[in-house]
Amino acid sequence: MLMECKMRLGIMCSGNGTNFENIIRTCTDHEVVLMIHNKEKCGAAKRSDKLGIPHCHISHKNEDQMVKLFEAWRVDLIVLAGYMRVLKDPSAFHCPIINVHPSLLPKYKGLNAVKQALDAQEVTTGCTVHYVTEDLDAGEIILQEEVSILPHDTVETLTKVIQQREYEILPRAIGMVG
């Protein structure tokens, strides 16, 4: 009899936590065991309380503490779900780290990717799930999905469409890594 291995997921957030909650609700083959947030009073912390997931606030400057905590919780995969800081030393972590980014990498790395795509008058953009490496948004791509840019799109409207697509591809990418 073949048994699937249930991964223990560690999530890192900075903001509202919608991708975090989506992972909990859709990745039922795996277990979210810990969420670390770098902003003390972020929406992700409130969602974590509501969903009964242990969480803690750790400054982005304290990566050593993050590494130790993820090791102590025996995390198999770390998912950056709206974590708005660059990890200084991803290789210090004991397991793979993946990130969801709001562009079709390698285009528009870093901050303000949606605005960059609009400013460049692109007709499509999208989102990418990739492995985290020392180089910003440059790790191996796991999954990408395209989104059309409509003539009257703004940063806000396009961001919402891209976020909806992120909710679809991030759980699929987690399943592909597992």
Side-chain angles (χ1 to χ4, degrees):
M1 173 192 248
L2 207 64
M3 292 192 62
E4 283 190 39
C5 184
K6 188 173 198 165
M7 282 193 303
R8 295 173 58 84
L9 304 177
I11 313 293
M12 296 177 70
C13 300
S14 294
N16 198 26
T18 56
N19 255 318
F20 163 65
E21 183 169 348
N22 183 60
I23 291 166
I24 292 167
R25 296 198 185 284
T26 60
C27 293
T28 56
D29 290 344
H30 307 294
E31 180 182 10
V32 176
V33 296
L34 178 66
M35 190 269 289
I36 293 176
H37 47 98
N38 66 319
K39 293 185 177 180
E40 195 166 351
K41 295 182 180 183
C42 64
K46 291 177 187 168
R47 288 177 195 273
S48 196
D49 286 336
K50 178 180 83 174
L51 296 165
I53 304 295
H55 67 94
C56 69
H57 168 250
I58 299 177
S59 167
H60 68 276
K61 296 176 184 176
N62 202 341
E63 280 187 27
D64 290 345
Q65 188 178 2
M66 293 176 201
V67 168
K68 289 176 186 171
L69 209 51
F70 283 135
E71 284 176 355
W73 282 82
R74 299 182 331 275
V75 167
D76 300 310
L77 176 67
I78 298 168
V79 181
L80 306 185
Y83 189 69
M84 301 305 293
R85 301 301 298 194
V86 174
L87 294 177
K88 288 178 280 184
D89 188 10
S91 63
F93 290 79
H94 70 287
C95 64
I97 305 170
I98 64 173
N99 180 47
V100 62
H101 183 76
S103 79
L104 293 174
L105 292 173
K107 282 187 171 184
Y108 312 120
K109 297 177 181 183
L111 294 174
N112 305 311
V114 175
K115 183 177 184 322
Q116 291 177 60
L118 286 170
D119 289 349
Q121 298 180 349
E122 298 280 359
V123 295
T124 61
T125 187
C127 51
T128 304
V129 180
H130 64 94
Y131 286 100
V132 174
T133 63
E134 279 75 17
D135 297 322
L136 179 66
D137 295 330
E140 178 186 344
I141 292 171
I142 301 165
L143 198 55
Q144 288 185 311
E145 286 283 330
E146 197 171 276
V147 170
S148 294
I149 299 176
L150 303 176
H152 300 293
D153 264 332
T154 63
V155 170
E156 294 77 22
T157 60
L158 186 55
T159 296
K160 286 181 184 178
V161 173
I162 292 170
Q163 284 175 334
Q164 290 301 313
R165 196 59 55 87
E166 288 176 354
Y167 300 156
E168 296 170 18
I169 73 164
L170 188 52
R172 287 196 342 243
I174 289 168
M176 292 168 72
V177 171

